[in-house]
Amino acid sequence: MSSIRLKNIRIFAHHGCLTEEEKIGSDYLVNLKVKADLSKAAQTDALVDTVDYVQLNHIVKTEMAQRSKLLEHVGQRIIDRIFKELSVVSEVRVSVAKVNPPIGGDVAAVSVSMHGQREIPK
């Protein structure tokens, strides 16, 4: 099994429970790792035989653009959509970090890390 990673995808979005967060927005960093069998792509050198990281980035940006109160909700939507659109992906790890969160202290970021694994049909 091989993996593809997208590191520190920078996105401005409007997630959070506070009304101010919805209006003002904040900076986010998303890290993504997907596992898949990439052996065919290694042989063919064809984009159709791998996981297109442009599509992964598009999924992250699209899901981050849809407002949620919780980072957990955004993370799960990213995982679900990757499994829906990319059948070759067997495992997804995603972390969503809010940079400079409004929590009344000097905190660089808060983040949620989530993991999903494709269920194997029985």
Side-chain angles (χ1 to χ4, degrees), residues 14-15 17-26 67 102:
H14 297 267
H15 304 299
C17 294
L18 303 176
T19 305
E20 294 80 15
E21 292 174 300
E22 180 179 2
K23 292 177 182 176
I24 298 169
S26 186
R67 188 183 188 299

Side-chain angles (χ1 to χ4, degrees), residues 10-66:
R10 296 179 189 276
I11 298 172
F12 187 83
H14 297 267
H15 304 299
C17 294
L18 303 176
T19 305
E20 294 80 15
E21 292 174 300
E22 180 179 2
K23 292 177 182 176
I24 298 169
S26 186
D27 291 312
Y28 293 82
L29 291 175
V30 179
N31 286 285
L32 183 66
K33 177 181 177 182
V34 299
K35 288 190 176 183
D37 181 356
L38 303 179
S39 58
K40 185 175 180 182
Q43 296 298 315
T44 66
D45 196 29
L47 182 60
V48 70
D49 293 328
T50 191
V51 177
D52 186 350
Y53 51 79
V54 172
Q55 186 176 3
L56 290 173
N57 187 55
H58 174 75
I59 289 169
V60 168
K61 290 170 75 175
T62 302
E63 293 304 322
M64 287 294 292
Q66 182 181 336

